Each structure stands twice: as structure tokens, then as C-alpha cells.
Amino acid sequence: MFPAFALSPTAITSRIDKHPLPLHRSKTPRRALLMSAQVTRKFFVGGNWKCNGTKQSIQELCEAFNAGKNIDSSQVEVVVAPPAPYAMLTRSILRQDFGVALQNCWVGKPGAFTGEVAAEMIKDIGLDYVILGHSERRHLPEIKENDDLVARKTKYAIDKGLTVILCVGELLEEREAGRTREVNERQLAAVKARLDPADWSKVVIAYEPVWAIGTGKVATAAQAQEAHAEIRSWLHRQVSETCASQTRILYGGSVTPENCVELATQPDVDGFLVGGASLKPTFLDIVRTHEAKTAARV
Ligand code: PGA
């Protein structure tokens, strides 16, 4: 199912058609209005704990999260991704208004694949999400997952009932060479080649420029908005208008409680995938940016 949204694309189209005058005066293309401002995509905040933590530190972090305000699940979806050995511990301690993800999974059925974790197992322990295509898995020389492997994993995980947080993003040299859009579209095209159109309702895209991950060098709000709008436009051209208007596109890369509000209020930023800052209780401040997002929409 697609996340809750205020108006169906058809309702929006008819509303726009009924009120053509202000839009004719506006410089904003009709398509852009359809795809971003008028559709309320449920805000999504992911916490990627990467290969960090101990039983004790994870217990303490979960208890700190549990002590925070309840999460209004009608407004925001919050999912943390612990290292696999701590997934069940995390699930058993954390309040139910937090989702729990794994950070990777195997590409196919369970079997003789030493060291791997299958999508079926993630479902079996009661989790509903997996992060795939994270830049560390795409680029670390010890791992080097290619676009097609990420795509095959995405298809398999969706078929087994998981929601996939699919990461895409460019390296610094690719940005400097003006290739950001091309790289994002290449990574997405590989996924499109494997998915059925309906599968996109189980994908949350995380745009994570590699140069911003763990570097303290966050993308500017304008850089994030530009890349997100390009991705949304690609979804519109390559999948469907519904997919473009309903798919959440998260920003990831050095997000902190200090910089998240400006990013969150960009029209095509639907939430965050947070690394380092998700290992602290102040992650909840980032979760609360959904309030600023709602205020910005009014
Ligand atoms: P960061 O990581 O927030 O520590 O930059 C983000 C990510 O890798 O998802």
C-alpha cells in the first residue's frame, strides 16, 4: 500500500483543472505541483546504526528513545536499523511505534550462503524493512555491490513482503563532473528493470550523496531539493505519475538536529536516513521535523 496522502492524484488533477487561473499566473509547472507540493507523503525518518553498538549501548539508546514522546504514526514513520545480531534485542526493547530494519539482505532464497541473512528471515523475526544499496555496500572495496545486485536484492525483498529503503547517490568526483543526475538515474534504472510497476509502492528512496555521508559536509537544502526533484521527475517519466507523487524520497548524509529543519521543508524532501546522529537520543529531534514539514505545507 502507498502511504497515507491527503488527495488522490485524480482529485488533485481535478482540483487544478477547476482552478486554472492562479496556476496560469504561476511560474511553477503544473507537473511539479502535482508531484510535490499538493500531495502529502507521510514523513519518514530512518536511523542507520551501521556496524556500531554493543548489547549495553543499544539497550541504553532504545530506553532513551522509549522515554521520548510517542510518535504520531499518522504523521511520521520511524525505522531504526541495528546491526543484524542486535535486531531482535532492539525489536524487543523498542516501543512499537518504531519500526526496525536490517541494513542488508541476501539476494535470494535461504540456503548454502555462509554469512548471509535472507529476506525470509527478516520477515520471520517480525521486521518489515531492509536498507539496500547503501553507498558503503556499493563502494567499499571489500563489498562492491553493483547496480544489478542491488536491483535483484530489491525485487527479492519486496516479493518476500519487505519495504526497501533503497539508497542512491553520487561520489564527489561524479558531482564535480556534473554527473549527479546521470548516476542517480543509472542506479534507479537498474532497479526499474527488475521491478513490476506495483512494486514501487514498497520502495522508499534515500538520496545519499556519498561525499556527504559521515563527513559532516551536508548537502545544501538547494542541492538536496534539486536532486530529489530530478529523482521524482525520473519516477514520473519512467514509472508513473502515481509513483512520482507517492514515493517518499529521503535525504541522507550528515543530517543533524541542527541542519534538519531547512532540509525537511524542501518540497521534495520527505524525510531522512540518518547515520551518526541516529546513535544519540537527540535523533528524536530529527524525527520531530515532521512538524516543521507539516507547517511548511500549510
Ligand atoms: P551520516 O550517514 O548521517 O552519518 O552521514 C548517513 C547514512 O550513511 O545513511
Side-chain angles (χ1 to χ4, degrees):
M1 281 293 291
F2 280 110
F5 59 97
L7 291 170
S8 72
T10 326
I12 293 161
T13 309
S14 77
R15 201 172 267 205
I16 289 174
D17 289 343
K18 273 191 210 137
H19 305 283
L21 208 61
L23 290 171
H24 286 167
R25 286 200 203 109
S26 156
K27 290 224 170 358
T28 313
R30 186 171 175 278
R31 285 281 172 236
L33 280 170
L34 269 173
M35 289 193 287
S36 59
Q38 300 222 5
V39 175
T40 306
R41 294 173 286 274
K42 194 196 284 187
F43 206 68
F44 189 109
V45 183
N48 175 11
W49 295 350
K50 308 194 179 185
C51 190
N52 292 294
T54 60
K55 264 194 315 190
Q56 186 172 342
S57 71
I58 285 177
Q59 170 139 4
E60 286 168 9
L61 187 59
C62 291
E63 281 167 3
F65 289 169
N66 286 347
K69 267 201 346 196
N70 276 358
I71 289 163
D72 180 352
S73 306
S74 69
Q75 299 296 316
V76 60
E77 196 169 347
V78 185
V79 176
V80 296
Y86 302 121
M88 287 187 75
L89 176 75
T90 303
R91 181 63 290 165
S92 69
I93 303 174
L94 260 188
R95 288 189 331 228
Q96 289 301 313
D97 50 357
F98 288 83
V100 177
L102 284 201
Q103 301 169 14
N104 176 40
C105 69
W106 174 236
V107 66
K109 298 200 281 212
F113 307 108
T114 302
E116 294 293 337
V117 174
E120 287 88 337
M121 297 168 183
I122 303 179
K123 274 306 268 188
D124 190 41
I125 62 166
L127 310 187
D128 294 319
Y129 305 85
V130 64
I131 298 174
L132 292 173
H134 190 277
S135 71
E136 284 144 18
R137 300 200 61 84
R138 289 181 189 265
H139 296 295
L140 279 174
E142 296 84 353
I143 307 178
K144 280 277 180 207
E145 290 190 5
N146 65 31
D147 294 345
D148 187 51
L149 179 60
V150 173
R152 286 162 54 216
K153 287 186 175 193
T154 301
K155 176 62 178 161
Y156 193 84
I158 290 171
D159 283 351
K160 293 302 152 200
L162 294 171
T163 292
V164 173
I165 302 165
L166 171 70
C167 304
V168 299
E170 82 288 2
L171 297 162
L172 181 59
E173 55 268 35
E174 291 167 335
R175 173 161 284 264
E176 286 173 346
R179 296 180 49 223
T180 298
R181 181 179 187 145
E182 171 202 323
V183 171
N184 287 335
E185 293 185 354
R186 190 200 72 220
Q187 293 176 352
L188 289 167
V191 174
K192 186 201 158 198
R194 297 275 175 189
L195 296 195
D196 295 324
D199 292 334
W200 287 90
S201 67
K202 301 285 283 180
V203 175
V204 177
I205 295 173
Y207 167 62
E208 299 207 302
V210 183
W211 47 271
I213 295 180
T215 57
K217 196 168 182 273
V218 66
T220 64
Q223 285 171 324
Q225 169 56 26
E226 182 182 32
H228 285 223
E230 285 170 358
I231 291 170
R232 202 174 301 289
S233 153
W234 182 91
L235 291 171
H236 183 265
R237 285 179 279 120
Q238 299 293 327
V239 188
S240 68
E241 182 164 319
T242 304
C243 175
S245 67
Q246 298 185 5
T247 301
R248 272 87 55 91
I249 306 176
L250 318 179
Y251 169 78
S254 295
V255 174
T256 64
E258 290 70 40
N259 61 29
C260 60
V261 171
E262 198 190 350
L263 288 159
T265 49
Q266 300 305 306
D268 287 293
V269 174
D270 305 313
F272 300 112
L273 184 56
V274 184
S278 69
L279 289 161
K280 298 181 192 146
T282 50
F283 174 61
L284 295 183
D285 296 341
I286 301 174
V287 170
R288 268 194 295 277
T289 28
H290 74 83
E291 293 167 7
K293 180 78 180 179
T294 305
R297 281 192 197 114
V298 180

